[in-house]
């Protein structure tokens, strides 16, 4: 009996301890809920609890030091940075301390304010440049790390020049990005102090800007990114002089037109790119103006090269052993002479080491009419994409096959084409067929290496069907071809094209034809 009583007492004590533990847990949970529901005013609970909740919910961001807050604001466009001034008195002047001025006319005014570049609809006398001037006046006189002005309306060149000069004199500028438009023939001339700025890392100039770099020992010891788009040049060698002052440049983009050299004589423009550190090069020189320049490129570290336009009389590419990716979009000058075709092949031969290439289909068609012997080989090329326009009246396969024959290790083949014209049937070009018969073998890459193929913008033309058929016929290693229809293609035409592709599927069953999500599926 005593043993039973002892066990009963122990069970009661254990139950009491369990009840007490549950009570404490409930009390702690209730206290945590009170803390979470409390407000900084401290109107709930005891004074200690109110103090704790106030500490938990105080404005931590506003208590950060100015240097940290201005660093955060520097990642925002200036419009958003100025908008923070309405938060509280603590934020009222912080935007003036931000070392970044980033004003883009396209983003400064909302659609409700203006539908066109220029003065706002609500106040026709208050333009984008007035806004910039007011912000410039209100800002504290601290050095700028980044100055970005993108104006699409007519600017006051003297005013902008004063801002740039003032920024450069204060020192510390790392990024300068100017897009300037003016309806006069007087462009904004960059001050001489720009060409002696030792802190610049990024420089991009676009529009009505005149470049006149001094021939003296000016230098940009830290400049890594340089972009020049349709600016004007004071001398024939202005581009070469500027590049010679960039010893660590890694990214250079150049876009020109004939009016950029207005006022110069008819001498050739020298474009000499001798930059041992350059990794990315983008040149756009329209075919109508290609007679203007002499181009020499010697860039041993170059990895990516994009050339758009026409080839001039003097084009030299050398020392491109590290080239990985190229985009070649040569415009057609409709001469198609043997000399012009040889010039294109010579240009391409310098790209022998490339791994990935995007090539214009129209240029490939021109090459079919040139000599067929002694063509350059691209032994490292593993990815080839054809882009550009197609006409239903042109037979594309010979042009494609010609380049495939020069890339024996190609693994990925792509087509990103835009269809022009109607759906009339196009018979094969017998002249091209005859010429291609001289290359009487299947391209090595099709029979042994090609594993990936896609076609974007498929419209169902007979020439496109023939192109797909030839690839399916010859590509023994290819398991899947992905096809994406042109987005605006009529549904009936798409259905008709699917039926034809289905027949090809049955004829060459080793390769499956697939469509992107939302397209037809077999």
């Amino acid at each position: 009996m005593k043993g039973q009583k002892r066990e009963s007492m122990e069970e009661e004590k254990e139950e009491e301890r369990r009840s007490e533990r549950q009570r404490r847990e409930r009390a702690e949970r209730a206290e945590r809920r009170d803390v979470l529901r409390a407000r900084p005013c401290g109107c709930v609970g005891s004074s200690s609890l109110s103090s704790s909740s106030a500490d938990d919910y105080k404005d931590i961001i506003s208590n950060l030091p100015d240097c940290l807050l201005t660093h955060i604001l520097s990642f925002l466009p200036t419009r958003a940075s100025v908008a923070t001034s309405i938060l509280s008195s603590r934020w009222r002047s912080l935007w003036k301390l931000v070392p970044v001025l980033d004003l883009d006319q396209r983003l400064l005014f909302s659609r409700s304010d203006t539908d066109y570049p220029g003065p706002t609809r609500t106040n026709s006398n208050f333009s984008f440049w007035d806004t910039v001037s007011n912000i410039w006046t209100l800002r504290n006189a601290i050095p700028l790390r980044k100055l970005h002005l993108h104006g699409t309306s007519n600017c006051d060149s003297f005013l902008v020049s004063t801002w740039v000069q003032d920024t450069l004199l204060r020192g510390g500028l790392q990024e300068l990005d100017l897009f300037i438009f003016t309806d006069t023939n007087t462009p904004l001339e960059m001050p001489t102090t720009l060409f002696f700025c030792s802190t610049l890392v990024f420089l991009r100039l676009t529009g009505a800007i005149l470049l006149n770099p001094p021939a003296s020992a000016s230098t940009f010891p830290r400049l890594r990114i340089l972009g020049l788009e349709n600016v004007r040049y004071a001398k024939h060698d202005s581009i070469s002089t500027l590049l010679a002052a960039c010893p660590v440049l890694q990214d250079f983009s150049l876009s020109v037109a004939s009016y950029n050299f207005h006022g110069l004589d008819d001498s050739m423009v020298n474009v000499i790119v001798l930059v041992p550190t350059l990794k990315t090069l983008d040149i756009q020189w329209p075919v109508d103006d290609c007679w203007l320049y002499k181009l020499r490129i010697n860039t041993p570290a170059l990895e990516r090269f994009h050339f758009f336009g026409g080839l001039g009389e003097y084009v030299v590419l050398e020392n491109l052993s590290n080239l990985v990716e190229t985009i070649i979009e040569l415009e057609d000058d409709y001469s198609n002479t043997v000399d012009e075709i040889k010039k294109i092949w010579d240009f391409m031969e310098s790209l022998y080491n490339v791994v990935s290439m995007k090539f214009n289909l129209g240029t490939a068609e021109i090459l079919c009419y040139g000599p067929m012997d002694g063509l350059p080989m691209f032994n490292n090329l593993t990815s080839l994409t054809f882009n550009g326009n197609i006409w239903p009246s042109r037979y594309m396969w010979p042009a494609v096959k010609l380049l495939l024959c020069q890339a024996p290790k190609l693994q990925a083949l792509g087509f990103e084409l835009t269809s022009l014209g109607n759906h009339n049937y196009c018979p094969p070009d017998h002249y091209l067929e005859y010429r291609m018969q001289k290359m009487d073998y299947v391209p090595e890459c099709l029979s042994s290496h090609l594993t990936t193929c896609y076609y974007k913008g498929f419209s169902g033309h007979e020439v496109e069907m023939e192109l797909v058929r030839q690839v399916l016929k010859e590509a023994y290693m290819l398991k899947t071809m992905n096809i994406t229809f042109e987005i605006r293609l009529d549904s009936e035409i798409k259905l008709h094209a699917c039926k034809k592709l289905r027949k090809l599927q049955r004829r060459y069953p080793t390769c499956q034809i697939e469509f992107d999500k939302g397209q037809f599926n077999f």
Side-chain angles (χ1 to χ4, degrees):
M1 294 292 292
K2 291 181 179 180
Q4 293 178 351
K5 289 182 179 180
R6 190 180 301 112
E7 291 178 0
S8 177
M9 291 175 63
E10 290 178 356
E11 290 178 356
E12 290 178 357
K13 291 180 181 179
E14 180 65 26
E15 182 67 27
E16 289 177 359
R17 286 194 294 268
R18 186 183 301 109
S19 299
E20 178 63 21
R21 186 166 59 250
Q22 292 175 351
R23 186 190 63 78
R24 287 198 303 267
E25 290 175 353
R26 286 195 297 269
E28 291 174 358
R29 287 196 297 268
E31 184 177 356
R32 286 196 294 269
R33 285 196 299 269
D34 290 340
V35 171
L36 293 174
R37 293 171 180 173
R39 295 292 184 267
C41 62
C43 58
V44 178
S46 64
S47 60
S48 62
L49 183 59
S50 300
S51 175
S52 174
S53 63
D55 290 341
D56 290 340
Y57 281 89
K58 64 184 179 181
D59 187 355
I60 298 176
I61 294 180
S62 293
N63 288 332
L64 295 174
D66 286 356
C67 61
L68 187 54
L69 290 176
T70 54
H71 178 71
I72 295 172
L73 293 178
S74 68
F75 292 96
L76 302 176
T78 299
R79 173 176 178 165
S81 178
V82 174
T84 62
S85 63
I86 66 173
L87 295 176
S88 67
S89 57
R90 171 74 176 90
W91 293 80
R92 190 166 299 155
S93 300
L94 280 177
W95 70 271
K96 301 177 184 179
L97 304 175
V98 178
V100 171
L101 189 59
D102 184 355
L103 292 171
D104 191 328
Q105 185 168 357
R106 300 167 300 178
L107 305 176
L108 185 61
F109 301 115
S110 64
R111 187 173 296 275
S112 60
D113 295 326
T114 179
D115 291 327
Y116 62 95
T120 65
R121 186 168 55 195
T122 55
N123 185 349
S124 61
N125 295 319
F126 194 71
S127 70
F128 167 74
W129 296 109
D130 293 329
T131 302
V132 177
S133 183
N134 288 340
I135 291 176
W136 196 277
T137 303
L138 292 172
R139 285 188 71 261
N140 288 355
I142 61 171
L144 282 174
R145 176 173 55 83
K146 175 182 177 180
L147 176 59
H148 173 195
L149 295 178
H150 187 126
T152 55
S153 61
N154 187 37
C155 77
D156 185 333
S157 298
F158 175 77
L159 195 59
V160 177
S161 178
T162 302
W163 295 335
V164 174
Q165 178 80 357
D166 179 64
T167 301
L168 291 169
L169 291 176
R170 294 183 187 278
L173 185 65
Q174 297 180 18
E175 297 185 30
L176 179 60
D177 187 348
L178 298 179
F179 184 106
I180 303 300
F181 171 80
T182 177
D183 58 4
T184 67
N185 290 326
T186 304
L188 167 66
E189 183 170 0
M190 287 289 96
T192 305
T193 50
L194 170 67
F195 305 103
F196 295 90
C197 182
S198 61
T199 57
L200 269 181
V201 177
F202 177 99
L203 176 62
R204 182 167 59 195
L205 304 175
T206 307
I209 299 173
L210 179 64
L211 277 182
N212 188 14
S216 58
S218 63
T219 182
F220 295 103
R222 300 181 182 178
L223 191 67
R224 286 180 168 79
I225 301 176
L226 174 62
L228 305 175
E229 183 174 351
N230 291 329
V231 300
R232 303 185 188 181
Y233 303 95
K235 301 174 184 176
H236 293 88
D237 59 352
S238 292
I239 299 174
S240 300
T241 301
L242 188 59
L243 290 175
C246 306
V248 297
L249 191 66
Q250 296 183 2
D251 189 321
F252 176 50
S253 58
L254 174 67
S255 178
V256 301
S258 57
Y259 69 86
N260 297 151
F261 305 96
H262 179 73
L264 301 179
D265 57 38
D266 294 333
S267 301
M268 301 288 282
V269 175
N270 291 316
V271 182
I272 302 176
V273 187
L274 298 177
V275 186
T277 58
L278 196 67
K279 294 184 177 180
T280 302
L281 177 60
D282 187 330
I283 296 180
Q284 299 186 41
W285 205 302
V287 65
D288 293 338
D289 304 315
C290 66
W291 57 272
L292 280 169
Y293 73 95
K294 294 180 179 180
L295 175 65
R296 182 189 175 192
I297 298 175
N298 188 320
T299 49
L302 194 66
E303 297 176 356
R304 291 174 293 277
F305 179 37
H306 178 193
F307 186 91
F308 173 86
L311 296 177
E313 293 297 324
Y314 183 85
V315 177
V316 176
L317 305 183
E318 52 191 6
N319 205 359
L320 302 178
S321 57
N322 287 314
L323 196 61
V324 175
E325 177 184 338
T326 62
I327 302 176
I328 308 300
E329 301 179 82
L330 300 179
E331 289 187 316
D332 188 359
D333 62 359
Y334 302 105
S335 59
N336 295 350
T337 62
V338 174
D339 290 341
E340 289 296 323
I341 295 174
K342 185 178 183 304
K343 186 189 302 182
I344 297 175
W345 277 123
D346 290 343
F347 178 84
M348 294 180 61
E349 188 173 12
S350 303
L351 314 176
Y352 68 94
N353 212 35
V354 68
V355 175
S356 174
M357 178 186 293
K358 183 175 286 189
F359 199 77
N360 185 270
L361 182 61
T363 305
E365 291 175 338
I366 294 173
L367 296 176
C368 291
Y369 293 90
M372 292 292 182
D373 52 342
L375 302 182
M377 298 294 294
F378 301 94
N379 291 312
N380 293 333
L381 188 64
T382 60
S383 176
L384 174 62
T385 301
F386 290 93
N387 64 354
N389 301 323
I390 63 170
W391 291 88
S393 59
R394 292 182 181 174
Y395 187 48
M396 296 187 297
W397 173 244
V400 174
K401 183 179 180 181
L402 178 62
L403 262 67
L404 294 182
C405 290
Q406 310 311 120
K409 298 179 181 179
L410 191 70
Q411 299 175 16
L413 176 63
F415 301 95
E416 299 176 2
L417 304 173
T418 301
S419 177
L420 302 175
N422 55 32
H423 286 257
N424 293 333
Y425 173 71
C426 171
D429 188 323
H430 297 295
Y431 174 72
L432 286 183
E433 279 194 333
Y434 170 75
R435 288 181 60 81
M436 296 304 293
Q437 283 176 0
K438 294 182 178 180
M439 308 177 70
D440 56 355
Y441 62 91
V442 175
E444 181 181 345
C445 63
L446 292 183
S447 59
S448 59
H449 290 86
L450 189 70
T451 57
T452 303
C453 184
Y454 73 88
Y455 195 124
K456 292 183 179 179
F458 192 83
S459 298
H461 293 299
E462 289 297 329
V463 289
E464 295 175 292
M465 290 291 179
E466 177 64 15
L467 181 60
V468 172
R469 187 187 72 81
Q470 292 285 357
V471 173
L472 294 178
K473 174 184 175 182
E474 307 290 358
Y476 303 136
M477 303 295 293
L478 185 64
K479 301 301 181 184
T480 303
M481 175 180 285
N482 187 278
I483 293 180
T484 303
F485 283 103
E486 201 277 325
I487 190 171
R488 292 165 294 186
L489 193 64
D490 183 84
S491 58
E492 292 185 3
I493 297 176
K494 187 185 297 186
L495 182 60
H496 183 66
C498 279
K499 291 179 179 179
K500 289 188 174 182
L501 291 170
R502 184 178 301 171
K503 292 180 180 179
L504 288 177
Q505 175 81 79
R506 290 195 292 264
R507 188 173 180 181
Y508 305 103
T510 58
C511 178
Q512 297 296 314
I513 299 179
E514 295 184 353
F515 296 87
D516 281 349
K517 186 177 180 181
Q519 306 262 342
F520 289 104
N521 290 307
F522 286 153

